[in-house]
Amino acid sequence: MSRVLLPGAVLDGRQVTLGVMGGGQLGRMFVHAAQAMGYATAVLDPDATSPAGLVSHHHFQTAYEDPQGLAQLAACSAAITTEFENVPAPALAVLAATRTVAPAAAAVAIAQDRAQEKAHFDRCGVPCAPYAVIDSAAQLAAVPLDLLPGILKTARMGYDGKGQVRIATPQALQEAWQSLGGVACVLEKMLPLASECSVIVARGDDGAMVSFPVQHNLHRDGILAVTQVIDGLVAPALAAQLVTAARAIAEGVNYVGVLCVEFFVLQDGHWVVNEMAPRPHNSGHYTMDACDQSQFDLQVRTLAGLPLLQPRQHSPAIMLNLLGDLWFRADGKEASPPWDQVLALPGTHLHLYGKLSARKGRKMGHLNLIAATAAEVHANALQAAALLGIEAF
């Protein structure tokens, strides 16, 4: 970071502007956090109705690798971040030639390729599930049988359970690889899981690093459904190990920005790292209402070179992911969920993302619930889930 970008400052005759590549809900929440601190914002996203573009000072509606769009974003912004990991890393490298970019293209490139990601975890000494990289018929034929049953995942462009196939036999493996187009894949051995957790860290250009409490996550159909952050839900010794591992992964790539690392906790008490996301994460949305700083506040701070302070969680919290399924009645007709009844529950905080149309599986928003006690927040969350038609947990 060449210099600190102070909130509300005037730079080169205009208000300091922070840019973001990507206009989805994570970009929208970054924009809101930046604006609350006194920054102007700019978004590059090809969608005219992108959630972040709709609320930003500037929206450059171009493809992510469009030279003119990148030049416009760079000219407008003093520093630039990204809101999802599949923004082309070469585009971030182009921007970095003239502007501060965090996270760096190299870190994003690692997260975009599962094979590179696994190699990075290995270098950092963080254990993964046993795996094999498959990018040719010869490598497919050489896969050790003890990796079966396993999950075959495309090395690139997979998210929310997409690009993944569960397989149990060599024949099924071959068929699955062909069904995925014969592209580079990673085969991971299936392990007996007890739970899923994630850790969000923020690291500054000066190497300072802070983290949020370990999040306990529940996925359904490959998409995060519920996050719980309640004292005692994750054993303190395990939480300390996961935080240490996440910090090592960030240090290992000289990361600057907000990073989420997902872990699998096994039935025998051991754990393995699953993947990393070079951005704020769905499982960290509870921080918007349960902590004195949100993950988006820390994203702004890391980008602007501001001091990082250890965030404090002031209330037990549960986050419910709100998918487009909730907007459809049993007869298939679209209707708004009963927000009036949900918001009658104490400690509820509704965050909708401004998406103009609902569809099944689409992330439309999230509901944060906080309370004075773990029992109270859990009871209120179950009531909210029942009102919305979300399966109990």
Side-chain angles (χ1 to χ4, degrees):
M1 196 77 63
S2 59
R3 53 180 161 171
V4 175
L5 302 172
L6 293 177
V10 176
L11 182 65
D12 298 329
R14 62 178 181 270
Q15 187 178 10
V16 171
T17 300
L18 301 182
V20 56
M21 290 283 279
Q25 63 264 18
L26 298 178
R28 182 185 180 95
M29 288 179 272
F30 166 79
V31 163
H32 282 152
Q35 291 174 351
M37 291 180 65
Y39 295 99
T41 57
V43 170
L44 188 151
D45 188 283
D47 183 359
T49 61
S50 69
L54 291 173
V55 299
S56 187
H57 294 86
H58 309 279
H59 177 197
F60 302 111
Q61 188 188 343
T62 72
Y64 295 119
E65 293 184 290
D66 177 71
Q68 182 177 356
L70 293 174
Q72 289 176 317
L73 182 65
C76 180
S77 308
I80 300 164
T81 189
T82 179
E83 67 108 30
F84 74 110
E85 60 266 43
N86 287 326
V87 165
L92 298 177
V94 169
L95 293 169
T98 58
R99 290 291 182 265
T100 295
V101 174
V108 174
I110 289 173
Q112 289 177 346
D113 189 302
R114 293 186 190 277
Q116 290 191 45
E117 188 178 56
K118 298 290 188 187
H120 176 63
F121 295 155
D122 288 339
R123 288 192 299 270
C124 294
V126 177
C128 308
Y131 71 95
V133 177
I134 301 172
D135 61 9
S136 68
Q139 287 182 321
L140 179 67
V143 167
L145 293 180
D146 62 2
L147 291 182
L148 302 177
I151 303 178
L152 186 67
K153 303 179 180 180
T154 55
R156 300 182 64 84
M157 300 303 289
Y159 65 96
D160 287 344
K162 297 178 175 65
Q164 301 184 16
V165 182
R166 295 191 177 199
I167 47 91
T169 67
Q171 179 63 30
L173 173 60
Q174 183 174 359
E175 293 172 355
W177 187 62
Q178 291 172 346
S179 74
L180 293 173
V183 299
C185 291
V186 172
L187 174 66
E188 298 177 9
K189 182 179 179 64
M190 289 183 64
L191 300 173
L193 302 186
S195 62
E196 300 176 58
C197 296
S198 59
V199 176
I200 293 173
V201 300
R203 186 176 184 274
D205 185 66
D206 60 356
M209 187 156 27
V210 298
S211 59
F212 289 100
V214 176
Q215 292 120 202
H216 185 278
N217 302 322
L218 170 65
H219 287 78
R220 291 172 176 154
D221 298 324
I223 302 176
L224 181 65
V226 182
T227 292
Q228 301 183 70
V229 189
I230 298 170
D231 280 346
L233 192 58
V234 179
L238 172 61
Q241 293 174 22
L242 300 185
V243 170
T244 297
R247 293 170 72 98
I249 288 168
E251 290 280 4
V253 72
N254 198 27
Y255 193 85
V256 177
V258 171
L259 176 75
C260 181
V261 183
E262 295 184 84
F263 298 92
F264 293 141
V265 181
L266 308 181
Q267 292 178 6
D268 63 3
H270 292 86
W271 54 267
V272 295
V273 62
N274 177 31
E275 60 187 18
M276 69 182 205
R279 52 167 173 78
H281 192 261
N282 203 160
S283 65
H285 289 344
Y286 78 96
T287 63
M288 299 172 73
D289 299 298
C291 300
D292 61 352
Q293 300 175 82
S294 75
Q295 60 176 342
F296 302 101
D297 294 329
L298 295 188
Q299 187 181 20
V300 173
R301 287 182 177 236
T302 56
L303 185 61
L306 298 173
L308 290 179
L309 302 176
Q310 179 61 37
R312 293 180 297 112
Q313 183 182 356
H314 53 69
S315 303
I318 294 177
M319 187 278 300
L320 303 180
N321 221 7
L322 305 176
L323 302 182
D325 309 55
L326 306 183
W327 273 253
F328 294 91
R329 302 183 314 200
D331 60 8
K333 294 183 179 180
E334 189 170 346
S336 293
W339 299 127
D340 53 344
Q341 298 177 55
V342 171
L343 293 173
L345 298 171
T348 52
H349 301 265
L350 178 63
H351 300 267
L352 297 180
Y353 302 151
K355 296 181 180 180
L356 300 182
S357 62
R359 61 175 180 265
K360 293 186 177 182
R362 190 182 197 193
K363 295 177 181 177
M364 299 296 291
H366 66 271
L367 183 72
N368 287 338
L369 297 104
I370 60 174
T373 67
E376 183 181 355
V377 74
H378 193 255
N380 291 338
L382 288 178
Q383 287 188 61
L387 288 168
L388 291 169
I390 296 174
E391 183 181 346
F393 51 92

